[in-house]
Amino acid sequence: MIAHIRGQLLYKIPNYVVVDCGGVGYELWISVTTFTELGEVGSEVRLHVHTHVREDALQLFGFYEVTEKLLFEKLLTISGIGPKLAITVLSGITADRLVAAIRGGDHGTLTKIPGIGKKTAERVVLELKDKMEGLAGAVPVSGSATPSLGATAEDVLSALVNLGYPRPIAQKAVESAAKDSAVSADFEKLFRAAMAAVR
């Protein structure tokens, strides 16, 4: 069971990284929040890891903050939520807002996340409401610099396509969201605005 990785960042795109540990490259699926916290390719990274084992696959999911990993693992306990949807949830809303929505029984906020319908939102609140102790406020807001608008928009488009959205629809959503200068240069803000627009 792999629980933590430290190594050199070989490759990164939204949702996916490769980390070199002692000459072995590990591929890990990540959330948008973790992506925004990572340094440049070539830098050293440390990620908390959830190892997901199935009959036909072994997948690693990486998290910059241990709180995000804990939320991911709690989401996996909900019927109908697999690892891909759990990562999508953590990409569509900040950890603090997710914890607040679950604690407050805010089904409306939860159903705005792609892949979460009314019944799933109800199950999430019912099963996790009393299991959020100690999780709120533990994930810091990224203070890293953001790339230019063009690069930011391309990264957001790549993230949406990797999450399963058709490229033409994703591109329209990104272009629409990028019209707002308040979010256009910030990856995380633009990504969430585009996700809202793609629905």
Side-chain angles (χ1 to χ4, degrees), residues 7-91:
Q8 184 182 33
L9 185 61
L10 292 183
Y11 178 77
K12 75 167 186 174
I13 57 173
N15 316 115
Y16 176 83
V17 294
V18 176
V19 179
D20 181 347
C21 299
V24 178
Y26 292 89
E27 59 178 25
L28 302 99
W29 297 100
I30 59 172
S31 70
V32 167
T33 302
T34 290
F35 174 81
T36 61
E37 295 287 353
L38 295 176
E40 296 301 315
V41 169
S43 63
E44 181 180 275
V45 294
R46 298 168 185 252
L47 293 172
H48 302 281
V49 178
H50 172 85
T51 305
H52 189 73
V53 182
R54 296 186 325 203
E55 288 182 8
D56 59 342
L58 188 151
Q59 295 176 304
L60 301 179
F61 294 84
F63 307 93
Y64 189 78
E65 292 286 342
V66 69
T67 302
E68 193 182 21
K69 177 186 175 183
L70 294 173
L71 275 171
F72 175 84
E73 291 172 342
K74 288 182 185 299
L75 286 168
L76 291 183
T77 66
I78 307 297
S79 174
I81 296 184
K84 185 175 180 181
L85 180 53
I87 280 288
T88 300
V89 169
L90 291 170
S91 293

Side-chain angles (χ1 to χ4, degrees), residues 98-109:
L98 178 59
V99 170
I102 293 171
R103 279 181 164 172
D106 186 354
H107 299 141
T109 294

Side-chain angles (χ1 to χ4, degrees), residues 146-160:
T146 55
S148 66
L149 173 61
T152 303
E154 286 174 13
D155 282 345
V156 169
L157 177 59
S158 172
L160 291 173

Side-chain angles (χ1 to χ4, degrees), residues 109-145:
T109 294
L110 295 174
T111 54
K112 289 178 182 176
I113 302 168
I116 300 293
K118 185 179 178 182
K119 288 184 178 179
T120 303
E122 289 172 352
R123 281 201 303 272
V124 168
V125 170
L126 180 66
E127 296 183 34
L128 298 184
K129 189 174 184 179
D130 298 326
K131 300 177 182 178
M132 295 289 102
E133 197 62 38
L135 291 179
V139 180
V141 176
S142 171
S144 58

